[in-house]
Amino acid sequence: MKLEFWGAARTVTGSMHLLEANGRRILLDCGMFQGRRKRAFSRNRELPFDAAGIDSVLLSHAHIDHCGNLPTLVRAGFRGQVHATSATRDIAALMLLDSAKIQRSDVRRVNRIRSKQGKRPFEPLYTPEDVVETLERFATVEYGRTWELFPGVHIRFIDAGHILGSASIVIDVEEAGSTRRLLFSGDIGRRGLPILRDPEVADGVDFVIMESTYGTRDHEPPEESDRIVNEVLTTCHETGGKLLVPSFAVGRTQDLVYRLNRLWEQGELPPVDVFVDSPLGANVTEVFRLHPECYDAEARHAVETEADRDPLGFERLTFIRRAEHSRRLNDLKGPAIIISPSGMCEGGRILHHLLHHAWNPNTTILFVGYQATDTLGRKILEGQSPVRIFDRQIDVKARILRAGSFSAHADRTGLLDWAERVGGSGRLERVFLVHGEEDAAFGLAEQLRERGHSGVDVPERGASVEL
């Protein structure tokens, strides 16, 4: 076996790792790299290997930093299958089509400027037609079933508990008369999240590729985030200001809706209208309703025993699909909660809401997810002002808050506990930490070594390791 690390190596986005086993080349995720625009565009377009030489893709989940560059792979000549759970396939279809449409819109806007400057036009990474061709290559597999991908290579998807359909991937490789087990964590979820089951682990693991996003940070207790939400809802109602929540369309939006629904049912939600301003968020919420097999016991009970109850909808909630309806929100008088992607403020309708409201001290911007380096969300969270939104410099006078316990990633304690469970059989030889900025990955590596895991590596992009 040989591993090559081509994405999410000493950074968070762009998950992509290449496994060579029994003469086959298997790609673990094919995510979009996010960060500085020029660098991101170049890295996403220029694949570091021959796409036609990839035999198969194993996809952990449908977040864009894990699936977002699949159409580029297909466009470059990949003709194999993409294996994922059915929920991941359904969400990836929405995510990739949305990504293609956003790229087309952004490129048109940039090319108008470049045309005036006499510069050659850009092309999007891929088109909706490329996405359709990519989706034709999906093959679904459900949790817990072991199947033969290629001779001597067996695969099993287990629940990662991160978002709907997310999986950790168990890979058993038989070479030279012995079988070794590799576990790719994908993104590890948090125990006790609403809607979803807790993350599973595999036993008998020899090697693991493990995420490290929050490798040096613990999330605040859930009650602290509940306190922050209750406080900002009250402030929003009393001041008549807007609460803007940049949120990922998959997972975080549904988590927020679920929690707000609970407040409404308990009579604790102030009389404030809630808008999910995202066609993608609305569509993904519909996909959530189609996959109760991914729910935890509490969510399943709500669906099975209370036919008239929708845990992802309530009286004051409105899903906004049409662009003209989204624009009307910017003229809305009085208090409102606007949940809108993208979660890192790198595109989408949240940019328009920030443009219209970030300058207002009565506005609150609540971050409920990870903000990667160099993203607009990270700049706002760190207090930078002014910031550039589209072609304007905006002074940020809004109140900025973060509610860490909304994160769908395991924190430092959760990651260490997960690693302990994986290593419980005593077979674990090497741990490769990915999907984390350098301080988080190296910090987690040191903590794992202190717990007796001597073979811990933080690979650089392009690193190649024989197993």
Side-chain angles (χ1 to χ4, degrees):
M1 274 193 290
K2 185 170 81 170
L3 281 174
E4 294 178 0
F5 300 90
W6 289 112
R10 302 194 183 185
T11 188
V12 170
T13 66
S15 178
M16 188 163 57
H17 316 293
L18 181 58
L19 169 66
E20 293 188 19
N22 280 338
R24 301 286 189 164
R25 293 165 63 82
I26 303 163
L27 198 60
L28 308 177
D29 285 350
C30 189
M32 184 175 286
F33 177 78
Q34 296 162 300
R36 293 188 184 276
R37 299 297 174 84
K38 186 175 181 180
R39 181 186 178 205
F41 189 79
S42 173
R43 182 173 292 188
N44 288 323
R45 185 179 290 282
E46 298 165 9
L47 295 172
F49 43 72
D50 176 19
I54 302 298
D55 296 296
S56 182
V57 176
L58 303 177
L59 179 60
S60 66
H61 65 285
H63 273 151
I64 208 72
D65 62 325
H66 291 258
C67 75
N69 222 21
L70 281 169
T72 302
L73 187 73
V74 171
R75 192 171 184 171
F78 171 68
R79 294 298 178 263
Q81 289 187 316
V82 179
H83 299 274
T85 66
S86 59
T88 291
R89 176 206 58 197
D90 291 349
I91 296 174
L94 300 174
M95 297 289 283
L96 293 174
L97 285 168
D98 185 70
S99 175
K101 292 174 183 176
I102 289 174
Q103 288 180 53
R104 183 171 58 189
S105 175
D106 287 349
V107 165
R108 283 175 179 169
R109 184 171 60 250
V110 169
N111 282 344
R112 284 196 293 268
I113 298 172
R114 292 180 67 83
S115 177
K116 294 176 183 177
Q117 297 171 339
K119 297 179 180 179
R120 66 176 181 84
F122 284 144
E123 292 184 4
L125 285 172
Y126 49 81
T127 66
E129 291 73 23
D130 295 320
V131 172
V132 171
E133 185 177 351
T134 300
L135 295 174
E136 292 172 352
R137 304 205 161 276
F138 270 70
T140 60
V141 59
E142 301 312 319
Y143 293 126
R145 182 172 71 86
T146 300
W147 48 282
E148 186 176 66
L149 177 63
F150 299 116
V153 181
H154 289 81
I155 308 296
R156 178 162 52 96
F157 281 42
I158 59 177
D159 199 333
H162 174 60
I163 66 168
L164 194 82
S166 63
S168 298
I169 304 172
V170 184
I171 306 169
D172 290 324
V173 177
E174 184 180 349
E175 290 179 325
S178 66
T179 300
R180 310 305 298 276
R181 173 166 288 181
L182 169 69
L183 175 62
F184 173 43
S185 73
D187 283 358
I188 302 166
R190 297 177 58 197
R191 299 175 68 83
L193 280 181
I195 306 177
L196 302 180
R197 293 188 294 263
D198 290 344
E200 297 180 87
V201 298
D203 58 7
V205 174
D206 300 291
F207 314 106
V208 62
I209 304 171
M210 177 183 174
E211 74 124 316
S212 58
T213 311
Y214 287 96
T216 56
R217 273 179 29 209
D218 279 329
H219 300 315
E220 67 226 16
E223 54 268 21
E224 176 61 15
S225 281
D226 289 342
R227 184 194 66 77
I228 292 172
V229 170
N230 288 334
E231 178 190 327
V232 296
L233 289 175
T234 300
T235 301
C236 172
H237 178 242
E238 291 176 348
T239 65
K242 303 295 187 294
L243 171 60
L244 305 183
V245 187
S247 182
F248 300 99
V250 181
R252 208 63 42 81
T253 291
Q254 291 73 35
D255 186 4
L256 280 164
V257 168
Y258 188 91
R259 295 188 191 213
L260 290 171
N261 183 28
R262 188 175 60 193
L263 289 175
W264 179 78
E265 290 179 340
Q266 295 169 350
E268 297 176 10
L269 183 68
V272 177
D273 289 325
V274 180
F275 300 93
V276 174
D277 186 18
S278 167
L280 179 60
N283 292 336
V284 169
T285 302
E286 290 301 319
V287 172
F288 265 69
R289 295 186 175 106
L290 294 174
H291 287 280
E293 76 278 5
C294 298
Y295 292 2
D296 63 12
E298 179 185 354
R300 269 200 320 273
H301 178 78
V303 171
E304 292 170 357
T305 63
E306 302 177 47
D308 60 340
R309 181 190 170 199
D310 180 3
L312 294 171
F314 53 97
E315 188 175 307
R316 303 197 75 96
L317 174 68
T318 303
F319 286 93
I320 304 293
R321 295 178 181 273
R322 299 173 67 90
E324 59 265 34
H325 295 165
S326 174
R327 287 191 290 269
R328 288 178 199 161
L329 295 181
N330 292 319
D331 299 322
L332 193 66
K333 305 300 181 185
I337 302 167
I338 301 174
I339 303 167
S340 186
S342 78
M344 297 186 192
C345 305
E346 283 296 283
R349 294 179 179 179
I350 192 64
L351 294 179
H352 298 274
H353 299 305
L354 290 169
L355 187 70
H356 283 82
H357 298 293
W359 55 268
N360 189 336
N362 284 334
T363 298
T364 299
I365 303 172
L366 177 64
F367 289 100
V368 294
Y370 188 83
Q371 305 301 307
T373 301
D374 295 325
T375 60
L376 176 60
R378 180 71 162 261
K379 293 173 183 176
I380 294 174
L381 183 60
E382 291 180 343
Q384 292 190 36
S385 181
V387 295
R388 180 173 290 277
I389 302 176
F390 296 126
D391 58 348
R392 293 173 59 182
Q393 293 288 110
I394 302 297
D395 289 320
V396 180
K397 297 181 180 178
R399 183 186 184 200
I400 311 300
L401 294 173
R402 183 178 69 87
S405 78
F406 279 96
S407 176
H409 285 269
D411 62 6
R412 181 189 67 89
T413 299
L415 291 171
L416 290 170
D417 289 346
W418 187 90
E420 286 297 302
R421 290 193 291 151
V422 170
S425 66
R427 283 179 51 175
L428 187 60
E429 295 179 26
R430 299 186 72 175
V431 178
F432 301 96
L433 296 180
V434 297
H435 206 284
E437 294 177 10
E438 289 194 7
D439 60 343
F442 281 105
L444 182 61
E446 184 59 33
Q447 293 172 83
L448 288 171
R449 293 186 189 109
E450 290 173 358
R451 293 190 174 205
H453 300 284
S454 57
V456 183
D457 298 283
V458 183
E460 296 181 294
R461 184 174 188 266
S464 178
V465 180
E466 294 279 354
L467 302 177

